[in-house]
Amino acid sequence: MLKLKVNNNEIEIEEGLTVLQACEKAGVEIPRFCYHEKLSIAGNCRMCLVEIEKSSKPVASCAMPATEGMNIKTNTKFVEKARKGVMEFLLANHPLDCPVCDQGGECDLQDQSMFYGIDKSRYKENKRSVPEKNMGPLIKTQMTRCIHCTRCIRFATEVAGVPEIGAIGRGEDMQITTYLEQSMQSELSANVVDLCPVGALTSKPYVFEARPWELKKTETIDVMDALGSNIRVDSYGWEVKRVLPRINEDINEEWISDKTRYACDGLLSQRLDTPYIKYSGKFEKASWKEVFNIIKSKFENSNKDKICGITGDLTNMETLYVFKEFFNKTLGSQNIESRNDNRYLNPEKRENYLFNSKINGIEESDFILFIGTNPRYEATILNARIRKAYLKNKTKVISLNNVGDLTYPYESLDGKISNIKDICEDNHPVSNLIKSSKKPLIIIGQSLLKSKSAKYVFEKVKAYLHKNGKISNDWNSFNIISENASTVGSFDLGLYKTKNGENEVLKDLEDHKFEIVYLLGQDNLKFKKKDEFIIYQGSHGDNGAEIADIILPGAAYTEQNGFFTNLEGKLQKAYKASYPPGDAKEDWMIINELAEFINHRKLFNDKDELDNSMLNQINLYLKKNDNKKLPDSNNLFFENEDLKINNEDYYLSNVIARSSKTMLECKKSKINFKSTGTEG
């Protein structure tokens, strides 16, 4: 520990901190533009100048290491004069366009100029003018406002791993740009908008939409993937205007993916706002009572074994639980499933479908093996953590398949399942890497779980890790990447019907054994309808609504309170930021009212009763599966196949994203991107 003084107050700090960090520990705020705690130190804005005893000049606190006995002063006339001088230089070329700048109201330069700026500029020469740059469909540029802090350059290079933004020219002629004047090819690209301390980089889809003080701000959870990134939803009336990241060091740090940020315009289009009934192939508007009457009649005239329910990817846990209770208690049916494909599932232990090493545990790993996954598209923020681990620890990464650019170097095998067999039999170089590593990560993706070899690889790998002591209370190397926000929560609630890991409900559905199919927000089911009567409940007119006979308009994730469990098993609550359009209702209320209409009895009297019942159910499930033994992995059928990675369209992966004009623009930008051959 080091002892030093900040404004004559003695403090103790850890070794290795900078003067700026020491001041923050002392509770003193230091103005800055170029410095950011997640990026390397540039030291080029000079706004963070402080006075240090025995130094003849002001010192840039972000780049100066704190040392024993230092006497730091931040509030002297000397410091104030130095900062005012820096601010005058920064404003010399800056345009006076705050009224038309989207950064207005949340601009660091605007705020700090109130403290350190002057009312008149002494600069009488012509101000520089810089043309707008092309950074794709998400980032609007006004580079005349740029103060050359280089945050965007450092983010692209260090965090995103796409060194496509850089500086050309020197001094006043310096310009920040993408080198080839084309879209930034990263799924994290729009984080540079948050990082920009001025209005040089702003959000293109959000341009001139609203001022920050006009918006209602709601802290909630993202559902575009299974990570559960912490976000803030800004809404105006029922319209969601933008989505911003919240800091959570255990999950998303302070980054979010472009899909999380910009798919929100899909909440405004293709919405279902009233019940519909299909007559002669055409949908007609109806009342809730009319659709409930038809559904009741259908259920009463059908055998319970001929009814099934399939849940969707973006459904909160309360709705899933009510849906299960509705099927079990109101209809007397057990045919309920959350998987829309035949992926392998072993639900005997909760660790069988979790990312057990935790997201922040990635930074501790010393070896990573991918089996059937492309984390860049399946879990963008998680992939950024892996890059961080590589930069920090030089973590060795091997993938069974060559999956293209992951933003960090890795070795790829030939994609054959025989490699996994050899590893588990200690006949492969990777075996030694696993055994010699203190904290290895084995990451299994959905492409593997959907393959013919899923059961063999899953059980063999897990048994091998147990045998070599890589699964323990201290560290669990066995990890599953879930693709969807609802996956882990639905498994925790028991929304599956599985035999030998296979999807029984889906098999019977493909064989057309059901008369009634209830789709709860399920839009990714590849199913050819025959004679089935299909009820669709959801928020958008997408694939599920297209094949439905009855449509029940539900709410999107921003329009209702609800719990989600992320891929590492962390229970998080999403909060209501807006409200459903028209006659649409919250999903759990629709099912609860339908149960009352059929059985003259509600399943739950209110949301609190529902939440308590659901949480008790989860606790019982966890206790039940805590002490189960490992299955026998010796007699598993082995089939050597070439594993293929299912690279589904990243930008159009769910119903909200498919309704988003911005996501469509991103897809077009990706298609039109011209490779230079220098990407690595």
Side-chain angles (χ1 to χ4, degrees), residues 293-354:
N293 269 320
I294 294 173
I295 293 170
K296 182 181 179 181
S297 173
K298 289 287 182 181
F299 282 146
E300 288 176 346
N301 294 312
S302 183
N303 187 297
K304 65 180 182 181
D305 295 326
K306 298 291 184 180
I307 304 169
C308 79
I310 303 176
T311 63
D313 304 333
L314 311 179
T315 312
N316 63 52
M317 292 180 70
E318 288 94 329
T319 303
L320 294 172
Y321 183 61
V322 173
F323 194 64
K324 183 184 179 185
E325 293 291 286
F326 174 73
F327 262 75
N328 293 168
K329 294 179 179 178
T330 305
L331 303 180
S333 172
Q334 303 298 320
N335 298 319
I336 187 167
E337 181 59 70
S338 58
R339 295 168 291 170
N340 57 23
D341 48 44
N342 198 26
R343 86 188 78 146
Y344 177 74
L345 172 66
N346 179 351
E348 294 300 311
K349 277 184 169 288
R350 194 172 189 242
E351 66 181 22
N352 288 348
Y353 51 83
L354 293 183

Side-chain angles (χ1 to χ4, degrees), residues 388-514:
K388 187 177 178 182
Y390 168 76
L391 294 175
K392 183 180 173 184
N393 307 323
K394 296 299 176 191
T395 303
K396 188 175 181 63
V397 182
I398 293 178
S399 175
L400 180 63
N401 298 80
N402 186 338
V403 292
D405 183 16
L406 291 177
T407 72
Y408 45 83
Y410 67 96
E411 293 179 19
S412 61
L413 307 178
D414 59 7
K416 293 187 181 296
I417 297 298
S418 57
N419 286 291
I420 306 301
K421 183 176 185 290
D422 292 341
I423 290 168
C424 295
E425 293 175 354
D426 287 328
N427 293 325
H428 199 282
V430 174
S431 305
N432 294 326
L433 288 172
I434 294 173
K435 289 192 287 188
S436 62
S437 300
K438 291 181 179 178
K439 292 185 175 182
L441 288 182
I442 312 301
I443 301 177
I444 293 175
Q446 297 303 306
S447 295
L448 181 277
L449 297 180
K450 295 173 187 177
S451 71
K452 296 176 184 176
S453 309
K455 186 176 182 179
Y456 177 87
V457 174
F458 184 98
E459 301 297 352
K460 279 288 186 183
V461 168
K462 191 171 184 192
Y464 182 76
L465 293 173
H466 265 288
K467 177 185 169 185
N468 290 283
K470 303 304 178 183
I471 297 179
S472 65
N473 293 330
D474 297 327
W475 183 261
N476 190 331
S477 297
F478 189 76
N479 298 285
I480 304 293
I481 286 189
S482 300
E483 293 175 325
N484 305 312
S486 296
T487 300
V488 173
S490 61
F491 292 163
D492 281 351
L493 292 169
L495 271 76
Y496 51 80
K497 193 175 180 184
T498 187
K499 187 176 181 181
N500 295 322
E502 295 187 352
N503 193 329
E504 284 189 72
V505 173
L506 188 62
K507 189 176 182 302
D508 288 344
L509 183 64
E510 289 171 347
D511 294 336
H512 302 285
K513 291 183 179 180
F514 296 115

Side-chain angles (χ1 to χ4, degrees), residues 518-534:
Y518 196 147
L519 301 178
L520 178 61
Q522 179 53 257
D523 291 276
N524 291 334
L525 182 68
K526 294 177 175 63
F527 168 64
K528 290 184 179 179
K529 180 182 176 182
K530 196 174 180 182
D531 299 318
E532 296 87 355
F533 182 83
I534 295 180

